[in-house]
Amino acid sequence: MQVIKKPSETVPFADSGYIINTIAKPDNWVEQKDSAFLYWRSPVNTGYYDSDPQRPVARHNSRCNFGFADGHAR
């Protein structure tokens, strides 16, 4: 069993979508229309990060919903 060291700072899922332009700066990501998802890959998950163009999307008043490992959302 693996223990999450900082569950209140760990984001296992977020409001995300398929990104058309996979550039490094998140403020400039462009989402593919109607591609909303409830999960995303992190930069350390290299196998998927490079091949699966899903990223958190700030579609709610220029903000993104996140779910944390301790159960809270922001």
Side-chain angles (χ1 to χ4, degrees), residues 3 6-7 11 16 18-20 24 30 35-36 42 48 51 53 56 58-59 64-66 68 72:
V3 176
K6 296 182 178 181
V11 179
S16 66
Y18 283 111
I19 301 303
I20 295 170
V30 177
S35 69
S42 70
Y48 291 101
S51 62
R59 63 169 68 92
C64 181
N65 294 326
F66 291 92
F68 292 80
H72 86 278

Side-chain angles (χ1 to χ4, degrees), residues 8 13 15 18 25 27 33 42 45 47 51 57:
S8 64
F13 62 94
D15 187 8
Y18 283 111
K25 189 171 181 184
D27 292 338
K33 185 175 171 46
S42 70
N45 191 215
S51 62
V57 176

